[in-house]
Amino acid sequence: MTRDFNMFEMWKDYYDQSSNLVDEKVKEDFPSQGMGQILEMNLLFKKVLDETTENYLESVNIPTRNDIAALSSLIVNVDSKVDDLEELLEEFKEKQPSQAGGENQADLQSELTSVKKDIKDLDNKVNEILTLLKASSKETTVNGSTVKAPKTAKEASLNGSAAKTQPSN
């Protein structure tokens, strides 16, 4: 049931038939009609052959001419985009050293000095706050009288309950 598919034999038969047809049509009074039919047959045969070849290549996972053309178009697009990016990067690199040279260095140095000064001021203020907190935690005023700060949490809870129970003056 299997048929051998021989393209050469098929082409040879087609060539023989078309050459016989051409010979017959040229002998007739209207050779232009015959030539038109031959051209139509050639185009139909080419179309069938192209479709068959494309289907075969697709079934065996081999790219067709159209696939390769589409892929090459994508590669060209990617290549042009990479070139554009390289140009932008070169422009950026050219601009960067001139800006980072004198102006940005001086600006950065002054900004760094300012930040250091702010941090020192903040450190001094935090030290003052800690000193005041330590001094105030040693002595506290409760109802007009000065009370020493408790050393433990238990003493604090006892002093808190005692302060609540003391009568106000």
Side-chain angles (χ1 to χ4, degrees), residues 4 7 10 19 24 28 32 41 45 75-76 81 88 92 95-96 102-103 107 112 132 134 136 139 158:
D4 290 331
M7 286 297 287
M10 187 174 154
S19 64
E24 291 174 10
E28 291 182 6
S32 62
M41 283 178 28
F45 179 73
I75 289 171
V76 167
K81 288 180 182 180
L88 285 173
F92 180 74
K95 290 180 182 178
Q96 193 66 18
E103 298 172 3
D107 291 343
L112 185 61
L132 291 174
K134 285 180 183 178
S136 68
E139 294 183 1
L158 290 175

Side-chain angles (χ1 to χ4, degrees), residues 24-104:
E24 291 174 10
K25 293 299 179 179
V26 169
K27 292 177 185 176
E28 291 182 6
D29 291 333
F30 301 103
S32 62
Q33 262 184 341
M35 291 303 267
Q37 289 175 350
I38 291 172
L39 287 176
E40 285 180 23
M41 283 178 28
N42 278 339
L43 289 175
L44 182 64
F45 179 73
K46 183 179 180 334
K47 181 180 175 184
V48 168
L49 188 62
D50 287 346
E51 289 175 355
T52 304
T53 304
E54 190 172 329
N55 288 337
Y56 172 74
L57 291 175
E58 186 176 314
S59 68
V60 293
N61 285 334
I62 297 176
T64 63
R65 183 177 293 165
N66 293 336
D67 294 339
I68 293 172
L71 184 62
S72 66
S73 172
L74 291 173
I75 289 171
V76 167
N77 289 340
V78 168
D79 188 41
S80 69
K81 288 180 182 180
V82 167
D83 289 342
D84 292 344
L85 286 174
E86 285 177 344
E87 288 175 13
L88 285 173
L89 185 62
E90 287 175 8
E91 289 175 9
F92 180 74
K93 283 182 179 180
E94 288 174 2
K95 290 180 182 178
Q96 193 66 18
S98 66
Q99 291 177 353
E103 298 172 3
N104 282 348

Side-chain angles (χ1 to χ4, degrees), residues 87-126:
E87 288 175 13
L88 285 173
L89 185 62
E90 287 175 8
E91 289 175 9
F92 180 74
K93 283 182 179 180
E94 288 174 2
K95 290 180 182 178
Q96 193 66 18
S98 66
Q99 291 177 353
E103 298 172 3
N104 282 348
Q105 285 293 83
D107 291 343
L108 288 174
Q109 192 65 29
S110 65
E111 187 72 25
L112 185 61
T113 305
S114 173
V115 168
K116 284 181 181 179
K117 183 183 174 212
D118 291 344
I119 288 176
K120 284 181 183 178
D121 291 343
L122 186 62
D123 187 42
N124 290 337
K125 289 179 183 178
V126 168

